[in-house]
Amino acid sequence: ILVFILAGLLVHFVFLASIFDIYFSSPLVHGMTPQQTPLPPPAKRLVLFVADGLRADSLFELDSNNTSHAPYLRAILENNGSWGISHTRVPTESRPGHVALIAGFYEDVSAVARGWKENPVEFDSVFNESKYTWSWGSPDILPMFAKGATGDHVYTFCYAAESEDFGAEDAAKLDTWVFDHVKIFFNSSRSNQTLFSALNEEKVVLFLHLLGIDTNGHAHRPNSREYKENIRIVDEGVKEIASMLESFYGNDGKTAFILTSDHGMTDWGSHGAGHPAETLTPLIAWGAGVNYPQKVTSQLFEDNFLKEWKLENLKRLDVNQADIAPLMASLIGVPFPLNSVGTLPLEYLNNSAHFKAESMFTNAAQVLEQFKVKMSQKKATTLSFLFTPFKPLSDSEPINFLKKIRLCIQQQKYDEAVFLCKILINLALEGLSYYHTYDRLFLGLSIAISFVGWTTYVILVIIKTHTNLIKTAQSHNKESALLLYGFTFVGIIIAFFLLIQTSPWTYYIYCLLPVPIWYAVVREIHIIQNLAANLWSLPISQSVGFFLICILGIEILVFSFFFRSTLTVGLVVFAGWPVITQLWAQAKRTSLIWTLLCVLLAVFPLMPVVGREANISLVIATGLLTLLISCFSLASLCRSENKYRSNEDLKVYFYQMLSVALSTYVVSSTHNSLKNKQGLPVLNQIISWMTLVSSSVLPLLSPMFLFQRLFSILLSVMATYLLLSTGYEALFPLVLAGLMLVWIQMEQEALQHYGLSLKPKLAVFNFACATDITQFRQLHLDDIRRSFFFVFFIVTAFFGTGNIASVNSFDPASVYCFLTVFSPFMMAGLLVLKVVIPFVLVSCAFEAVQVTAQLSSKSLFLIVLVISDIMALHFFFLVKDYGSWLDIGTSISHYVLVMSLTIFMMLMNGLAQLLTTKRLDLSRRTKHHA
């Protein structure tokens, strides 16, 4: 059994990791030569303001009095500069946003997973190419560009990480800190000759990272007074800095300014996904080399923003976020960042046609350079007769293109040269993508073959060890040896083929994995033959009907990942299950409660995703309801026969009830404290962390009787869940737990209905006696339904309140009882715990169903594994790398979720066994004295 579990975990880890290798490997290449425009640049220095978390509409819109939240910046775009919307990509997080702005490429998602603060991949940036860069702001962002820089010319000035406090009185002080320190820095340079001369050099960048808007958006939402007031503070700060720099440099007209944002934010104060509120960010440029406002009479855009913002007469110049890096490089005349995939937005430049054509030529040459390196790398690792080049840029095509463009520039046909440059850039980017995804089909096919093989093998194991369908017959030794030699030979050929091509080590795993899996399947060929014979003996309508029901069930589960309302439909069908199977006649009261709770739980997937609106009074009401239910349960326990309880057991329940009461108080008091901007009270924080720790131990002190142990687990997880709740989701585990307890009773009725076992008295059923292997029975068709119920409830536990439906459905407010200072991994850990709690309830109920149904936990779990693997195979084929970024992100996150779910259910199975079958007996000594 242990070997099988380890093999299962290993195979699923490979399946999970493969998606990152196939779809999410780093697109970066190294070894290009820098490309620089030969003409003198318009600006000597560039000032980049990044207002973290600033939405385009928040900056450009006018309030009810027709005045702007940022009057200085509004005046700039109306009189002095150019403006537009910068379109960001998923994931809309600070790190990838800044990499796109400053290095000009879109970081792959795996880099985000590897950490916020360090560089998982080395990359070039505008800062690295500059002569000097001075930057002020957050310790989460600045060090990453300093670390990646060659030499010692990128300087950072950061505030303490503790300053990033969502519960602070005023997060705008993060921005005033930056503005104040820039002023102090420039004042100090007047008495420091070395610094003064460095500041007067060419190719200088000043970077001001302003985190206040993002912090206020998380804490108070983007429509709040605090968020809008912070925009006004940033506007004032930008005005002061611009004026100070003009006077410092004696109004030499050689300073260019750019203000933009790394990402936007949803109305409920989160970001990470592809909602327009997150992907549309403002861009305003002015100063040396930047175009003045262009008056127009009409503009064609699909959205109505121009009308809403009253900017219909000023030309809107939209860009992709990565285009800002080439724009900055062009303005101060530094080489374009080596890994940049941006296209220079020429309409922002106020310069000669010759300068624009030369800049575009540099841009095209720099992107083409990456294409050449990528192509030569792929050519070197592919056998020549198997190599298929990218047709539009094969052989001498790139050189011909460059010659043609150079000729146009010499003949002063600048518009034609620019047009050809844009074509070449697009072709080079297509070619980069072509070579980056060159091995995708071949690797995907290997994983799919492994998937099918593994699922087949698990089905064969179920039939062989947990049913009476097959009479064991061992194949001959001679055949086994032949099989082994055959598969070993295939494995050697695959390994040799990969060795010739100098493939990465991961390719060996993906391509060789099908060999042992299919060897294990083919070894059990006699089971397949016996099974086929058994199936032929059944009426064909029965077999087909059974398979159709199975397929329909799995399709419903797959659908629920796209549409949460599918779960509602499923739960309504579940509500009618007792009527369909005549269980109703056998247990009317239990069936009625089951139906009511199914309908009640069915409401949750129809509710809006958690975190949109906080409703603390609902959380408090849930806490009180939990205490009320606890009192009734304790009263009935006290009335029960004496042998089922002791005073020690009652003490545990009282501790747990106290924990729930304290959690309810902490939620209420923390919310009020943050509302009054008094921060997170230390006492509340201590109680929250103590509750979290104690809730994992207290259930192990409770009695081993089925309902008493499950009730204790519910009280423990509710205490923690209340602390992590902000609205209606607090009710969810309570309703789910109620349904789980009724499910255990319904399964008992079902067992009796099918005559599979006598009905044990659940009230006296003890988990300690549950591991007697002699009482286990073989599987029945109805056990497939049991397993399906479990997977369905797990998916409901997952999507019931919309958690992880997308990155942006996470609400940082959920963790404010534990911490308010920004700490991505700690916050992510607590949010994952919030998602895990409903899982724990479902897993413990499933454990109880298994032991009361006299099944080994392995047998039902194997059916669950088959169901989830078939779902995962669905999502593997649904993974996209085209379409909108939201579609791509969703398709990949679905696959990752199902795979994580499968690995997770294996771990949950173990946790549920620990929580239900183990007991810490601290009272042994006291009993001895008595």
Side-chain angles (χ1 to χ4, degrees):
I1 288 175
L2 186 65
V3 172
F4 181 82
I5 289 171
L6 288 174
L9 275 171
L10 189 69
V11 166
H12 284 90
F13 272 121
V14 171
F15 289 163
L16 180 56
S18 70
I19 202 76
F20 291 103
D21 234 359
I22 298 171
Y23 289 92
F24 270 160
S25 53
S26 174
L28 294 192
V29 285
H30 298 287
M32 290 80 67
T33 46
Q35 304 289 326
Q36 191 172 352
T37 310
L39 301 176
K44 286 175 73 174
R45 67 202 73 87
L46 174 98
V47 187
L48 173 64
F49 301 97
V50 176
D52 204 304
L54 175 60
R55 287 159 52 145
D57 58 350
S58 299
L59 180 68
F60 294 133
E61 71 188 0
L62 303 175
D63 62 19
S64 51
N65 305 325
N66 264 353
T67 55
S68 171
H69 301 304
Y72 173 73
L73 290 168
R74 180 79 178 195
I76 288 284
L77 72 89
E78 286 177 354
N79 308 310
N80 302 72
S82 295
W83 75 284
I85 290 176
S86 162
H87 297 262
T88 74
R89 281 197 188 177
V90 174
T92 45
E93 296 291 347
S94 290
R95 185 201 157 93
H98 280 88
V99 170
L101 283 172
I102 297 160
F105 73 91
Y106 301 104
E107 200 169 35
D108 60 291
V109 175
S110 58
V112 182
R114 287 179 220 166
W116 255 259
K117 295 180 183 168
E118 293 301 312
N119 286 12
V121 284
E122 290 303 317
F123 57 83
D124 188 27
S125 70
V126 174
F127 295 175
N128 189 33
E129 296 292 355
S130 70
K131 188 151 192 184
Y132 294 106
T133 292
W134 285 276
S135 53
W136 295 264
S138 161
D140 293 330
I141 295 298
L142 304 190
M144 126 178 127
F145 294 102
K147 185 175 184 289
T150 50
D152 184 20
H153 64 282
V154 178
Y155 304 100
T156 59
F157 303 93
C158 307
Y159 37 75
E162 292 72 42
S163 308
E164 299 174 25
D165 188 346
F166 295 140
E169 200 174 320
D170 183 20
K173 68 177 189 292
L174 298 176
D175 297 342
T176 46
W177 184 97
V178 170
F179 295 132
D180 292 345
H181 277 73
V182 174
K183 291 173 198 165
I184 294 164
F185 175 78
F186 272 87
N187 287 336
S188 70
S189 73
R190 295 184 192 277
S191 56
N192 179 338
Q193 194 50 50
T194 318
L195 178 57
F196 186 80
S197 55
L199 281 169
N200 278 284
E201 291 275 2
E202 292 185 344
K203 299 176 184 171
V204 164
V205 177
L206 305 170
F207 171 42
L208 284 71
H209 177 240
L210 310 164
L211 188 65
I213 293 176
D214 184 68
T215 310
N216 266 322
H218 284 309
H220 305 287
R221 313 286 186 259
N223 293 318
S224 64
R225 186 181 54 77
E226 289 84 355
Y227 186 86
K228 287 169 181 170
E229 178 59 21
N230 204 152
I231 293 175
R232 194 192 58 73
I233 290 169
V234 164
D235 183 62
E236 278 293 312
V238 170
K239 181 181 178 181
E240 287 168 19
I241 296 296
S243 145
M244 179 207 72
L245 290 173
E246 290 298 353
S247 65
F248 181 87
Y249 289 111
N251 293 323
D252 64 353
K254 289 287 182 186
T255 311
F257 297 91
I258 287 179
L259 178 132
T260 185
S261 171
D262 53 350
H263 55 74
M265 190 174 281
T266 57
D267 288 341
W268 52 96
S270 64
H271 54 82
H275 190 278
E278 298 163 272
T279 58
L280 303 182
T281 59
L283 172 62
I284 301 176
W286 70 100
V290 179
N291 239 338
Y292 287 103
Q294 300 168 55
K295 296 275 191 288
V296 287
T297 47
S298 65
Q299 303 186 65
L300 284 176
F301 282 99
E302 287 177 9
D303 52 58
N304 292 321
F305 293 141
L306 289 167
K307 201 173 180 184
E308 288 168 25
W309 302 337
K310 296 191 168 49
L311 289 168
E312 303 102 305
N313 302 326
L314 290 173
K315 191 164 188 187
R316 169 178 148 189
L317 308 169
D318 282 16
V319 299
N320 289 321
Q321 196 172 33
D323 300 343
I324 296 172
L327 174 63
M328 294 193 289
S330 168
L331 287 171
I332 53 170
V334 297
F336 286 36
L338 294 174
N339 301 110
S340 168
V341 294
T343 306
L344 179 64
L346 286 180
E347 289 183 289
Y348 275 85
L349 296 181
N350 178 17
N351 217 313
S352 65
H354 183 204
F355 180 85
K356 289 181 182 179
E358 283 289 2
S359 297
M360 265 327 258
F361 182 75
T362 306
N363 194 176
Q366 168 262 325
V367 177
L368 186 65
E369 193 70 23
Q370 292 179 75
F371 167 80
K372 287 179 186 167
V373 171
K374 193 82 177 173
M375 182 176 73
S376 57
Q377 281 179 359
K378 192 45 65 188
K379 215 169 183 176
T381 59
T382 311
L383 296 172
S384 53
F385 65 90
L386 289 175
F387 181 72
T388 318
F390 178 65
K391 288 281 186 294
L393 289 179
S394 54
D395 307 327
S396 59
E397 279 298 311
I399 297 163
N400 295 342
F401 243 114
L402 292 175
K403 280 180 181 169
K404 204 171 175 182
I405 296 167
R406 180 46 68 205
L407 187 66
C408 286
I409 293 174
Q410 283 166 356
Q411 293 172 352
Q412 297 186 358
K413 296 177 183 169
Y414 299 128
D415 289 346
E416 196 181 327
V418 166
F419 177 71
L420 287 171
C421 285
K422 285 180 178 172
I423 292 174
L424 180 56
I425 289 171
N426 289 334
L427 285 175
L429 290 175
E430 273 178 44
L432 262 175
S433 173
Y434 171 81
Y435 287 121
H436 184 57
T437 59
Y438 193 81
D439 295 328
R440 187 170 290 177
L441 180 70
F442 150 69
L443 292 176
L445 212 58
S446 294
I447 293 294
I449 292 167
S450 299
F451 242 123
V452 175
W454 170 258
T455 311
T456 310
Y457 178 65
V458 176
I459 292 170
L460 293 178
V461 169
I462 294 169
I463 291 165
K464 184 180 176 184
T465 55
H466 298 286
T467 66
N468 299 322
L469 286 175
I470 305 298
K471 302 287 171 277
T472 312
Q474 202 55 46
S475 54
H476 301 296
N477 287 340
K478 197 176 180 183
E479 284 176 21
S480 298
L482 270 174
L483 264 182
L484 184 62
Y485 292 142
F487 275 92
T488 309
F489 180 66
V490 170
I492 290 168
I493 285 179
I494 293 170
F496 179 68
F497 179 72
L498 292 170
L499 194 67
I500 299 172
Q501 302 203 81
T502 57
S503 300
W505 63 272
T506 48
Y507 282 31
Y508 287 85
I509 297 174
Y510 304 144
C511 299
L512 290 172
L513 188 64
V515 178
I517 290 176
W518 279 99
Y519 169 64
V521 171
V522 176
R523 263 184 68 189
E524 308 292 353
I525 194 87
H526 61 283
I527 298 178
I528 300 172
Q529 289 164 346
N530 282 1
L531 183 65
N534 275 341
L535 283 174
W536 281 121
S537 65
L538 289 172
I540 193 141
S541 58
Q542 205 176 332
S543 305
V544 172
F546 175 70
F547 279 116
L548 282 176
I549 289 169
C550 287
I551 290 165
L552 180 70
I554 288 170
E555 289 307 320
I556 285 174
L557 287 172
V558 169
F559 244 74
S560 67
F561 275 69
F562 297 97
F563 309 101
R564 282 170 60 218
S565 51
T566 313
L567 294 171
T568 302
V569 177
L571 286 163
V572 169
V573 173
F574 280 14
W577 167 55
V579 181
I580 300 162
T581 54
Q582 268 90 52
L583 283 174
W584 178 263
Q586 193 178 321
K588 284 193 171 61
R589 184 164 156 253
T590 314
S591 299
L592 184 66
I593 299 170
W594 163 267
T595 304
L596 283 173
L597 284 170
C598 277
V599 171
L600 194 57
L601 195 66
V603 174
F604 284 93
L606 297 176
M607 304 278 272
V609 169
V610 165
R612 306 289 160 104
E613 285 302 322
N615 190 341
I616 298 297
S617 48
L618 253 179
V619 181
I620 296 163
T622 306
L624 298 174
L625 181 64
T626 310
L627 287 173
L628 191 66
I629 294 168
S630 312
C631 292
F632 279 119
S633 305
L634 267 187
S636 69
L637 180 65
C638 290
R639 282 201 304 271
S640 67
E641 292 171 46
N642 205 32
K643 63 179 177 178
Y644 300 144
R645 64 177 181 84
S646 70
N647 289 339
E648 292 296 327
D649 299 340
L650 288 179
K651 271 185 199 170
V652 173
Y653 290 127
F654 280 124
Y655 285 138
Q656 290 184 301
M657 284 170 70
L658 179 67
S659 221
V660 171
L662 275 174
S663 295
T664 311
Y665 161 75
V666 166
V667 168
S668 168
S669 131
T670 303
H671 179 71
N672 290 332
S673 176
L674 291 175
K675 204 174 176 181
N676 300 328
K677 298 194 175 175
Q678 292 165 345
L680 168 60
V682 177
L683 179 66
N684 290 11
Q685 195 172 14
I686 293 167
I687 294 172
S688 297
W689 285 105
M690 282 175 68
T691 304
L692 179 63
V693 173
S694 66
S695 64
S696 55
V697 180
L698 284 173
L700 299 176
L701 300 172
S702 66
M704 299 282 281
F705 295 107
L706 187 135
F707 285 124
Q708 292 179 34
R709 174 53 69 95
L710 291 179
F711 180 60
S712 173
I713 293 169
L714 170 65
L715 282 182
S716 269
V717 298
M718 274 309 287
T720 307
Y721 201 83
L722 286 170
L723 292 169
L724 291 165
S725 298
T726 58
Y728 75 86
E729 84 270 23
L731 273 166
F732 182 70
L734 205 54
V735 177
L736 183 68
L739 185 63
M740 292 299 98
L741 291 173
V742 181
W743 181 36
I744 296 166
Q745 290 177 307
M746 287 298 288
E747 288 298 357
Q748 281 308 302
E749 302 294 344
L751 282 171
Q752 216 183 357
H753 182 71
Y754 290 109
L756 289 175
S757 81
L758 295 169
K759 184 179 174 186
K761 202 173 174 198
L762 287 178
V764 296
F765 187 88
N766 194 318
F767 276 117
C769 317
T771 43
D772 181 3
I773 203 156
T774 56
Q775 296 178 347
F776 291 157
R777 62 175 178 82
Q778 294 286 44
L779 287 171
H780 179 261
L781 266 184
D782 194 43
D783 293 319
I784 296 177
R785 184 214 27 94
R786 264 181 204 95
S787 304
F788 177 76
F789 269 31
F790 171 61
V791 179
F792 189 90
F793 286 136
I794 280 281
V795 174
T796 306
F798 208 59
F799 285 116
T801 57
N803 289 332
I804 319 194
S806 84
V807 189
N808 73 14
S809 64
F810 276 139
D811 182 12
S814 299
V815 301
Y816 287 171
C817 288
F818 293 90
L819 75 164
T820 53
V821 175
F822 180 64
S823 168
F825 294 109
M826 185 73 83
M827 286 180 164
L830 287 165
L831 290 166
V832 166
L833 175 69
K834 185 178 177 180
V835 173
V836 166
I837 285 171
F839 277 6
V840 173
L841 294 171
V842 176
S843 299
C844 291
F846 187 56
E847 181 66 23
V849 165
Q850 288 179 130
V851 295
T852 54
Q854 296 169 334
L855 284 165
S856 79
S857 58
K858 187 188 166 198
S859 59
L860 274 195
F861 188 73
L862 287 175
I863 303 176
V864 168
L865 203 58
V866 170
I867 295 171
S868 51
D869 277 345
I870 295 170
M871 282 168 67
L873 191 58
H874 264 77
F875 288 118
F876 184 80
F877 288 117
L878 288 173
V879 168
K880 294 179 178 178
D881 65 328
Y882 57 88
S884 80
W885 270 88
L886 185 59
D887 295 344
I888 296 168
T890 308
S891 70
I892 288 172
S893 65
H894 282 164
Y895 176 73
V896 172
L897 284 180
V898 177
M899 287 315 303
S900 311
L901 216 59
T902 312
I903 294 168
F904 200 62
M905 282 194 288
M906 292 183 187
L907 302 173
M908 275 288 137
N909 201 28
L911 179 65
Q913 280 183 2
L914 172 77
L915 282 173
T916 52
T917 58
K918 296 285 177 279
R919 184 169 191 194
L920 299 173
D921 203 349
L922 303 180
S923 55
R924 215 171 278 163
R925 196 172 297 154
T926 36
K927 279 184 183 171
H928 177 73
H929 287 304

